[in-house]
């Protein structure tokens, strides 16, 4: 049974930083591209960042230069370092595993991910 468990969310002032973690189990983690998505109240879930098996990354334009996705395959964990946070970054953040093991590319399409965590809340005060 695949499980993805996010942690690290919380309340932070604008301009502050948070580091999200997502621990995976039940799958051969290193074989899967991984992604982070977020969903704010009343909005659709949107792509934030993704990382390939080999460490190639892709970001939502509005977070480029502020967020960094990384992975530690020995620890079966993917991270999202978030710096210079803005109120508009507030959302529930979800990690997800691509439905295609061994895929080389990474993608932003939510339909490409079929394993999801429960989410972690990020609140940014202005």
């Amino acid at each position: 049974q695949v499980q993805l468990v996010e942690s690290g969310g919380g309340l932070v002032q604008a301009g502050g930083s948070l580091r999200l973690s997502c621990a995976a189990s039940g799958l051969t983690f290193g074989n899967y591209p991984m992604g982070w998505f977020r969903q704010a109240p009343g909005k659709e879930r949107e792509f934030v960042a993704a990382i390939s098996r080999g460490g190639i990354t892709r970001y939502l334009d509005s977070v480029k230069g502020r967020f960094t996705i990384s992975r530690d395959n020995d620890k079966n964990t993917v991270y999202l370092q978030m710096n210079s946070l803005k109120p508009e970054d507030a959302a529930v953040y979800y990690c997800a595993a691509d439905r295609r093991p061994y895929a080389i590319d990474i993608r932003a399409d939510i339909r490409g991910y079929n394993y999801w965590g429960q989410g972690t809340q990020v609140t940014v005060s202005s």
Side-chain angles (χ1 to χ4, degrees), residues 32-108:
Y32 288 81
M34 297 295 296
W36 283 97
F37 292 77
R38 67 187 181 188
Q39 187 167 18
K43 295 187 177 181
E44 293 188 350
R45 193 170 298 188
E46 68 173 351
F47 169 80
V48 175
I51 186 166
S52 71
R53 295 188 295 131
I56 296 171
T57 58
R58 180 176 177 180
Y59 296 94
L60 177 69
D61 283 347
S62 63
V63 308
K64 285 181 181 176
R66 300 188 297 121
F67 291 11
T68 303
I69 188 172
S70 60
R71 66 189 298 160
D72 185 335
N73 290 338
D74 291 333
K75 294 183 178 179
N76 290 355
T77 301
V78 60
Y79 304 96
L80 186 68
Q81 177 67 44
M82 306 186 296
N83 298 329
S84 302
L85 281 160
K86 303 176 181 180
E88 52 264 42
D89 294 319
V92 177
Y93 282 71
Y94 301 88
C95 72
D98 195 299
R99 64 174 67 246
R100 307 166 301 157
Y102 306 110
I104 296 174
D105 61 319
I106 47 176
R107 48 191 181 176

Side-chain angles (χ1 to χ4, degrees), residues 7-13 15-21 66-68 79-85 93 120-124:
S7 61
L11 172 64
V12 64
Q13 287 188 334
S17 299
L18 284 174
R19 187 194 196 203
L20 306 184
S21 300
R66 300 188 297 121
F67 291 11
T68 303
Y79 304 96
L80 186 68
Q81 177 67 44
M82 306 186 296
N83 298 329
S84 302
L85 281 160
Y93 282 71
T120 186
Q121 178 72 52
V122 172
T123 304
V124 184

